[in-house]
């Protein structure tokens, strides 16, 4: 097997193992299932909201950079 293929399989195994471990930890936790589900839902909602906020901030920065770039480009054509 080539080094690339071995590295890809190892990376895939690491990712799958991490996900399986996290799922096992949540479902085998010493608390009621409903509490675990609520906690998981809260954390996923928080992560989603943070992701949306970061995406919006990135888009605003991108838009500002594009406007700045457009104004710089337009000034080249006027003497």
């Amino acid at each position: 097997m080539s080094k690339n293929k071995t590295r890809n399989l190892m990376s895939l195994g690491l990712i799958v193992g991490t996900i399986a471990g996290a799922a096992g930890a949540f479902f085998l936790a010493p608390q009621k299932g409903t509490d675990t589900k609520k906690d998981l839902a809260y954390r996923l909602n928080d992560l989603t909201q943070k992701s949306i906020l970061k995406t919006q901030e990135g888009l605003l920065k991108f838009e500002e950079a594009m406007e700045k770039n457009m104004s710089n480009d337009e000034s080249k054509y006027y003497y």
Side-chain angles (χ1 to χ4, degrees), residues 47-60:
L47 179 64
T48 303
Q49 294 300 321
K50 287 179 181 177
S51 298
I52 290 170
L53 182 62
K54 291 287 185 185
T55 301
Q56 288 174 340
E57 288 173 357
L59 288 172
L60 285 172

Side-chain angles (χ1 to χ4, degrees), residues 61-72:
K61 288 180 182 178
F62 176 73
E63 185 178 334
E64 289 171 1
M66 290 299 292
E67 287 176 0
K68 184 178 179 182
N69 190 25
M70 292 295 286
S71 66
N72 288 342

